[in-house]
């Protein structure tokens, strides 16, 4: 039986520590959060939830292909959406929190794996993810189902 997921918890502190403080976030009251420090706009709620103030509804886990399509097709705040890079998604990590994300701005985020657009450095059929359980990173086979938060540019 082939393992469909491998976890890489690198020892490089720059990959785990967010240099961005939560006070750089601004709730746009339209289902999006602006990050003034990175000049990115984030989907407030995880994919599958309603993009309302409380992120009601159930989070949907998707394969990487479905995740990319869902972000590209997202109709929210008149923006063009995409799957975030590893570096972009890691900018949301706050190690002091559990889950490791600011729940004031990203409510009901699961403390688990969220896809990024980055390919695994060793396995072409694997994509990288960030886990909001620890703030670490890893990779999963592209047909594995993980959670999704889309991003756009300011």
């Amino acid at each position: 039986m082939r393992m469909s997921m491998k976890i890489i918890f690198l020892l490089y502190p720059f990959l785990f520590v967010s240099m961005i403080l939560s006070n750089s976030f601004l709730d746009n009251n339209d289902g999006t959060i602006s990050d003034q420090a990175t000049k990115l706009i984030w989907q407030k709620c995880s994919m599958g939830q309603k993009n309302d103030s409380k992120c009601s509804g159930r989070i949907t886990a998707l394969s990487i292909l479905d995740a990319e399509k869902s972000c590209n097709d997202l109709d929210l705040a008149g923006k063009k959406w995409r799957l975030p890079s590893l570096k972009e998604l890691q900018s949301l990590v706050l190690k002091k929190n559990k889950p490791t994300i600011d729940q004031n701005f990203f409510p009901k985020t699961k403390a688990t794996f969220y896809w990024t657009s980055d390919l695994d450095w060793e396995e072409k059929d694997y994509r990288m993810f960030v886990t909001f359980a620890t703030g670490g990173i890893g990779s999963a086979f592209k047909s594995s189902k993980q959670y999704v938060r889309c991003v756009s540019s300011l």
Side-chain angles (χ1 to χ4, degrees):
M1 181 170 114
R2 183 175 174 165
M3 250 342 238
S4 66
M5 186 180 312
K6 63 180 181 174
I7 298 178
I8 307 167
F9 290 103
L10 300 175
L11 299 175
Y12 301 106
F14 66 89
L15 290 176
F16 296 121
V17 178
S18 173
M19 299 303 288
I20 310 304
L21 300 176
S22 62
N23 63 6
S24 69
F25 294 133
L26 173 68
D27 189 332
N28 300 311
N29 296 314
D30 61 359
T32 69
I33 303 294
S34 294
D35 185 339
Q36 302 302 310
T38 62
K39 305 297 185 215
L40 295 172
I41 297 179
W42 291 95
Q43 181 183 16
K44 178 175 186 159
C45 305
S46 298
M47 190 61 70
Q49 294 173 314
K50 293 179 183 170
N51 289 302
D52 57 24
S53 62
K54 296 181 182 171
C55 295
S56 58
R58 187 174 183 172
I59 300 174
T60 306
L62 302 170
S63 70
I64 192 67
L65 294 176
D66 290 338
E68 289 172 332
K69 182 174 179 4
S70 293
C71 285
N72 291 338
D73 293 347
L74 182 61
D75 183 16
L76 180 64
K79 295 289 185 182
K80 184 176 179 181
W81 297 92
R82 60 182 171 76
L83 208 55
S85 70
L86 181 62
K87 181 179 178 181
E88 289 169 338
L89 194 55
Q90 283 183 301
S91 75
L92 298 182
V93 171
L94 294 173
K95 293 292 279 186
K96 65 180 181 173
N97 294 5
K98 295 293 178 194
T100 58
I101 191 168
D102 191 332
Q103 291 277 327
N104 294 314
F105 290 97
F106 303 101
K108 299 185 182 174
T109 297
K110 292 235 181 213
T112 191
F113 310 125
Y114 278 73
W115 282 122
T116 75
S117 60
D118 288 37
L119 294 172
D120 182 280
W121 302 300
E122 298 173 349
E123 302 281 345
K124 67 178 182 161
D125 289 331
Y126 284 68
R127 290 285 184 96
M128 301 301 294
F129 61 74
V130 171
T131 174
F132 288 109
T134 63
I137 64 171
S139 67
F141 192 69
K142 60 187 178 183
S143 64
S144 300
K145 293 190 175 189
Q146 314 297 340
Y147 295 105
V148 179
R149 173 164 279 112
C150 304
V151 71
S152 185
S153 300
L154 274 178

